[in-house]
Amino acid sequence: MMISHGKYWVYNGLMLPKETHSAESLKFAEELKVQNNDIFAITYPKSGTTWMQEILPLVLNGGDLTPVQTIPNWDRVPWVEETRAALVMDNLVAPRAMVSHMPYNLMPPSFMSSKAKAIYVTRNPRDVLVSSFHFHKMANFLDDPGTFDEFLEKFLSGKVMFGKWTEHVKSWRKANLRDRILFVTYEEMVQDLRGVIRRFSSFLGQDLDEETVERVANHCCFSNMKTNIMSNYSLVPQGIMDSSKSPFLRKGVAGDWKNHFSPEQEARFVAVIQQEMAGINITFPWDQE
Ligand code: PPS
């Protein structure tokens, strides 16, 4: 069930940008026949999606840079729920790598019964908020974020694309996918990309030698991705994404929230997140700071 709401569709209670989603694309996702060897990178928006679209093909193909140098990220590792998926799905070679921003309950039903694997990337929600705030300024297909304070309240109440961060994280933690899912944080990727690439390769049954791990990590560093036109969104017309307002690959660090939050905003933010995450037994790297 879809309702039109300005620049968004409201689909099962979730706000999705009209620019990239349609009734047809959501039907396509619902009807997708997930293969047992499919791999999904799952993210709440601004948590490391583009990074995963760069890393996954390289881990799966032994470090061959051809796809990341010749295919735009959105066609290389498509979002299952977006309009491009139907156009490029047949071009994907097995094992297929896809991304999704969907909470667990809105994944293609055949994902649930398959043996397909998922990598769930979680990022400090404070940095997700900051990244999203800047993204809303440059992406003309999203609502203007207003002031940082206003956007913080919108984010906490879930009146942003893909809803509440806490609901998203909880839906995937509760899914009980056992050895079909690997949880990783953006912060671990920033701190030790080589170690994370090794974890991905063993989770996905890929045997990468150290030289390949090194090549993949070097290629996927922030500065290289920022200059890769197949990954830095410079192919998107300025009327849709205006990188003069804020580049898509903006800072690529952990902790930029400290430059944006007042102590009061941080206290309010943490109180709401902690309350909504109560009972979920996870300690994130940022909880220990
Ligand atoms: S989206 O719109 O949901 O697809 O955005 P997403 O790709 O999930 O998140 C964008 C943020 O990820 C950062 N990014 C990286 N950080 C470090 N290293 C690498 N290689 C990298 N690639 C993408 C990107 O810069 C955005 O974060 P901010 O904090 O805005 O810089």
Side-chain angles (χ1 to χ4, degrees):
M1 159 85 160
M2 279 170 84
I3 302 164
S4 175
H5 182 72
K7 294 180 175 181
Y8 304 88
W9 297 114
V10 181
Y11 170 72
N12 287 300
L14 216 57
M15 285 168 64
L16 310 177
K18 285 181 180 170
E19 176 71 28
T20 41
H21 301 79
S22 64
E24 292 74 30
S25 78
L26 295 162
K27 186 162 183 283
F28 180 85
E30 274 172 31
E31 293 176 353
L32 182 73
K33 288 193 176 52
V34 172
Q35 311 288 318
N36 284 333
N37 58 355
D38 283 346
I39 295 140
F40 293 84
I42 312 291
T43 51
Y44 184 85
K46 314 321 286 183
S47 300
T49 327
T50 319
W51 209 353
M52 293 302 291
Q53 288 169 321
E54 201 85 355
I55 297 171
L56 273 183
L58 298 176
V59 168
L60 294 172
N61 75 9
D64 175 5
L65 296 177
T66 314
V68 296
Q69 287 173 338
T70 56
I71 312 172
N73 61 301
W74 53 82
D75 284 354
R76 187 199 308 144
V77 182
W79 276 266
V80 272
E81 61 271 16
E82 292 199 358
T83 46
R84 297 288 306 170
L87 305 174
V88 299
M89 198 55 77
D90 287 347
N91 302 341
L92 302 184
V93 290
R96 302 185 299 185
M98 291 164 260
V99 288
S100 179
H101 287 319
M102 285 299 195
Y104 180 67
N105 60 308
L106 293 180
M107 281 296 280
S110 70
F111 172 79
M112 319 290 177
S113 54
S114 75
K115 294 191 176 115
K117 290 184 174 172
I119 298 177
Y120 188 94
V121 187
T122 320
R123 186 180 189 187
N124 186 336
R126 300 168 184 84
D127 282 332
V128 170
L129 168 68
V130 168
S131 181
S132 193
F133 175 67
H134 291 287
F135 185 54
H136 278 69
K137 289 192 197 172
M138 65 89 81
N140 293 338
F141 56 90
L142 300 176
D143 281 344
D144 184 278
T147 64
F148 186 70
D149 209 43
E150 286 163 354
F151 191 65
L152 185 146
E153 290 305 326
K154 262 192 178 178
F155 183 88
L156 288 178
S157 63
K159 292 190 187 118
V160 287
M161 58 175 170
F162 292 92
K164 276 191 185 184
W165 179 88
T166 49
E167 292 302 325
H168 200 281
V169 173
K170 285 193 287 188
S171 78
W172 280 95
R173 288 280 169 170
K174 286 179 182 166
N176 201 10
L177 290 169
R178 290 182 284 270
D179 58 354
R180 285 179 54 202
I181 192 161
L182 177 75
F183 291 99
V184 67
T185 62
Y186 174 95
E187 290 68 20
E188 288 167 316
M189 291 167 71
V190 169
Q191 199 176 18
D192 178 18
L193 187 56
R194 283 154 190 79
V196 169
I197 290 169
R198 279 185 217 108
R199 276 170 70 194
F200 289 169
S201 61
S202 98
F203 176 65
L204 300 174
Q206 302 292 320
D207 193 16
L208 298 190
D209 58 30
E210 274 309 298
E211 195 192 318
T212 309
V213 170
E214 194 58 32
R215 185 164 68 250
V216 174
N218 278 337
H219 175 80
C220 297
C221 73
F222 182 76
S223 56
N224 277 343
M225 282 183 58
K226 207 172 159 69
T227 53
N228 181 0
I229 57 163
M230 292 297 154
S231 308
N232 64 10
Y233 282 86
S234 58
L235 295 174
V236 175
Q238 203 185 10
I240 299 177
M241 285 189 186
D242 188 350
S243 56
S244 69
K245 291 186 181 154
S246 176
F248 185 96
L249 284 128
R250 192 184 57 90
K251 279 198 178 173
V253 297
D256 190 38
W257 66 269
K258 291 173 188 158
N259 299 315
H260 291 76
F261 281 65
S262 69
E264 295 73 26
Q265 286 167 335
E266 211 240 326
R268 154 117 182 99
F269 189 85
V270 169
V272 173
I273 299 282
Q274 271 179 358
Q275 193 196 10
E276 294 184 3
M277 294 300 279
I280 296 285
N281 206 8
I282 333 167
T283 309
F284 290 115
W286 50 90
D287 293 330
Q288 289 161 328
E289 282 172 2

